[in-house]
Amino acid sequence: MAKIIVVTSGKGGVGKTTSSAAIGTGLALAGHKTVIVDFDIGLRNLDLIMGCERRVVYDFVNVINGEANLKQTLIKDKRTDNLFILPASQTRDKDALTKEGVEKVLNELAKEFDFIICDSPAGIESGAMMALYFADEAVVVTNPEVSSVRDSDRILGMLSSKSRRAEQGLEGIKEHLLLTRYNPERVEKGEMLSVEDVKEILAIELVGVIPESQAVLNASNSGQPVILDKDSDAGQAYLDTIKRLLGEQVPFRFLNVEKKGFIKRIFGG
Amino acid sequence: MSVLHCADLSTATLQKLLSAKLAQAPAFFLQAPIVLNLSDVSQTPDFAALKNLFTELKLVLVGVTAANAEQKAAAHGAGLAVLQAGKASVKSQTTASTPQPAESIAATDPNSAKAANNTVTTQVAVPMDSKVVEQTVRSGQQIYAKGTDLIVKGAVGAGAEVIADGNIHIYGSLRGKAIAGASGDTSKRIYCYNLQAELVSIAGNYWLSDSLQDKFWGKSACIKMQDDSLVISELV
């Protein structure tokens, strides 16, 4: 049975699509057949981050409306085996998604895939609700900053009240906190919330901390998920995150300011 | 919603019984919506007169339940809703046997032989089980404990609201709004393990987070009314 994971946040621009691409790719690298579904109808971005924008023929809305079948629509990733992308429609809006339509497509995907990653749009309106409604697990992407934390808190409330699992009284969605754009230096200066602060406010289990990194922007611009950049700190942090998602115990890295060199330590620089 | 059971629906009897009941807790039933259960009544009462009586007593008669066809028609005529006697009413009747969830008031005359017939039962009674929230109250969520205390085991997030007619106990951090004694009872209190509230209010008297910043911010606190103003003290 496929596991449906929604990547959500409430707030925009915190790294949902970057994280969806990285998590989807990471799961596929670990040998699981994975599909990433872009729920951001009208603001299609996932195809760019995944570098498959030139291969989009049909989209999610076409499949829902029966204008194309899944086989025609799914885009196979060229770099990673076991990885597929279901792109969003750019010409429609969020109202094109219906609960019945989404359920039908997800059920069909569930027959073939181990993991279905739902890349949620920002906000708490119908589009975001559709993305989280059928989820089994949720990765809540949060920046260490007060407005993002509050919006994540709001989304956590939605996950526990508006999802299918909540409505049918099933076991609740498993919630994971993914802290992105973490900058230990600024935390030390008191300019940014620390991991502990965010954990204390949101009170959910931490699955990963992604350091603020030039590698993320480079990866987005080149259409290559950052997790493939294995030398970068962000790439390694995502690899750790995947292991934790799959149940492994991995110590957290990149939480502290890198140790200064010998000379700098002596002169206090 | 409160449901009223009464075998004798003549206005005189009902007025006597309800006045006595209301005198016990005047604020509790103020403008409360009431549904009349007609299961013990065979004839059709004068709904228009009953409506006036309820208005006089500062109650709102909204509808009837368990009505027969004739009663239903009359209720419609008087502009009342006809409600299904659903699961809820069955459930509350079963809880009537537990210690004190529903109160029965016998007719004012204690040695009256008719007492059994003239029993008013209201299913919302003054002592009720507290409302317990097991998890964290998230931003944007609103919890209201009507007529009772509210206990939150987790935290109350920024942008969340917890409201109770009784006391409020929060065993995590209070970052949102907490409103105790919402129906006007100034004796109610707010207790929290870690005070970082946006607003605390008791019976309409409130403090914003600005006024909470100094001494008790981030500490455990008890907030109560004293001489018409809010007082905060640390929990020991």
Side-chain angles (χ1 to χ4, degrees):
Chain A
M1 188 60 200
K3 202 172 258 179
I4 304 178
I5 302 178
V6 60
V7 178
T8 185
S9 71
K11 196 172 171 59
V14 294
K16 282 183 296 298
T17 302
T18 301
S19 296
S20 297
I23 291 170
T25 307
L27 289 170
L29 285 175
H32 303 282
K33 199 170 179 197
T34 304
V35 57
I36 315 175
V37 184
D38 191 351
F39 273 79
D40 205 347
I41 311 297
L43 295 166
R44 184 173 74 207
N45 284 166
L46 181 70
D47 54 329
L48 292 170
I49 308 290
M50 295 298 298
C52 63
E53 70 274 15
R54 287 188 217 137
R55 292 192 288 141
V56 177
V57 182
Y58 294 108
D59 59 53
F60 195 7
V61 175
N62 291 139
V63 182
I64 287 178
N65 294 344
E67 293 150 5
N69 63 34
L70 268 177
K71 208 171 178 188
Q72 295 169 302
T73 313
L74 286 174
I75 303 173
K76 189 178 181 330
D77 191 84
K78 280 187 173 165
R79 294 165 299 239
T80 315
D81 286 338
N82 298 322
L83 182 60
F84 290 80
I85 292 107
L86 181 57
S89 169
Q90 182 68 355
T91 51
R92 306 291 294 273
D93 61 36
K94 310 270 188 289
D95 299 331
L97 297 182
T98 58
K99 224 176 242 181
E100 297 73 35
V102 172
E103 185 174 25
K104 194 187 78 184
V105 174
L106 289 181
N107 282 343
E108 214 171 313
L109 288 172
K111 286 181 206 153
E112 266 192 63
F113 290 93
D114 303 325
F115 284 97
I116 302 171
I117 309 296
C118 302
D119 180 20
S120 170
I124 52 170
E125 287 78 28
S126 69
M129 289 301 111
M130 289 296 168
L132 68 78
Y133 186 77
F134 296 99
D136 301 308
E137 295 190 18
V139 173
V140 178
V141 184
T142 307
N143 287 170
E145 170 256 331
V146 283
S147 59
S148 174
V149 171
R150 180 178 297 186
D151 292 359
S152 295
D153 197 37
R154 183 91 166 101
I155 276 292
L156 285 165
M158 300 278 190
L159 286 168
S160 59
S161 61
K162 299 280 166 67
S163 61
R164 180 181 64 97
R165 281 173 172 269
E167 281 179 8
Q168 297 181 1
L170 305 169
E171 192 190 339
I173 292 178
K174 197 168 169 198
E175 298 152 341
H176 307 276
L177 172 63
L178 179 62
L179 209 53
T180 54
R181 297 212 171 142
Y182 195 72
N183 185 332
E185 273 168 40
R186 300 192 63 189
V187 172
E188 225 165 63
K189 285 187 204 156
E191 296 171 349
M192 201 178 247
L193 294 176
S194 71
V195 175
E196 295 309 317
D197 291 339
V198 180
K199 264 172 76 179
E200 210 261 314
I201 296 174
L202 294 179
I204 58 171
E205 170 234 353
L206 186 67
V207 75
V209 180
I210 313 300
E212 191 163 41
S213 167
Q214 193 60 42
V216 174
L217 188 63
N218 291 343
S220 299
N221 286 338
S222 60
Q224 179 130 323
V226 68
I227 199 167
L228 294 174
D229 185 356
K230 291 188 175 102
D231 297 330
S232 69
D233 46 0
Q236 290 174 25
Y238 272 117
L239 283 169
D240 287 356
T241 303
I242 297 301
K243 288 182 187 160
R244 290 189 202 101
L245 263 182
L246 293 171
E248 248 180 85
Q249 295 280 343
V250 186
F252 285 92
R253 294 192 276 173
F254 315 111
L255 297 189
N256 299 309
V257 180
E258 270 177 54
K259 295 234 165 54
K260 288 170 183 152
F262 178 66
I263 294 173
K264 269 193 176 175
R265 246 187 290 164
I266 288 180
F267 294 101
Chain B
M1 212 178 287
S2 309
V3 182
L4 181 75
H5 293 257
C6 188
D8 183 358
L9 284 181
S10 69
T11 40
T13 321
L14 206 54
Q15 169 153 36
K16 210 160 87 186
L17 291 168
L18 282 174
S19 304
K21 179 76 191 164
L22 289 173
Q24 294 184 324
F28 190 76
F29 287 109
L30 189 67
Q31 300 295 1
I34 305 284
V35 175
L36 207 52
N37 189 309
L38 297 174
S39 54
D40 303 331
V41 186
S42 48
Q43 71 273 53
T44 306
D46 181 356
F47 285 118
L50 283 177
K51 239 173 125 176
N52 287 336
L53 171 69
F54 276 81
T55 314
E56 261 171 49
L57 293 169
K58 297 206 166 59
L59 295 168
V60 186
L61 181 61
V62 291
V64 298
T65 182
N68 61 34
E70 195 187 333
Q71 289 166 336
K72 270 183 199 170
H76 275 305
L80 293 173
V82 176
L83 304 163
Q84 292 287 329
K87 275 187 222 147
S89 85
V90 175
K91 206 161 54 181
S92 43
Q93 272 163 9
T94 56
T95 58
S97 58
T98 59
Q100 251 189 324
E103 262 183 51
S104 296
I105 308 286
T108 39
D109 193 2
N111 56 4
S112 162
K114 292 188 297 178
N117 277 337
N118 284 345
T119 306
V120 171
T121 314
T122 49
Q123 286 168 351
V124 180
V126 184
M128 267 173 72
D129 286 341
S130 304
K131 188 182 178 92
V132 181
V133 178
E134 299 282 344
Q135 68 280 35
T136 291
V137 184
R138 301 287 183 186
S139 182
Q141 291 181 323
Q142 206 177 32
I143 306 247
Y144 176 35
K146 186 172 161 43
T148 184
D149 287 0
L150 177 63
I151 298 165
V152 181
K153 278 172 75 180
V156 175
E161 281 181 30
V162 287
I163 307 169
D165 290 337
N167 301 297
I168 297 178
H169 307 256
I170 298 159
Y171 291 97
S173 302
L174 168 58
R175 296 192 187 84
K177 299 180 181 172
I179 298 161
S183 54
D185 188 345
T186 53
S187 69
K188 300 306 178 203
R189 296 180 181 195
I190 298 168
Y191 302 87
C192 67
Y193 184 69
N194 185 327
L195 180 68
Q196 300 173 40
E198 290 169 355
L199 175 145
V200 289
S201 162
I202 293 172
N205 301 275
Y206 67 89
W207 274 2
L208 290 170
S209 65
D210 275 354
S211 1
L212 299 170
Q213 293 292 336
D214 42 333
K215 226 173 140 190
F216 296 99
W217 196 255
K219 298 211 173 97
S220 64
C222 163
I223 298 140
K224 63 174 179 183
M225 282 285 287
Q226 207 171 51
D227 305 328
D228 289 337
S229 67
L230 294 182
V231 179
I232 306 186
S233 56
E234 209 168 328
L235 291 178
V236 202

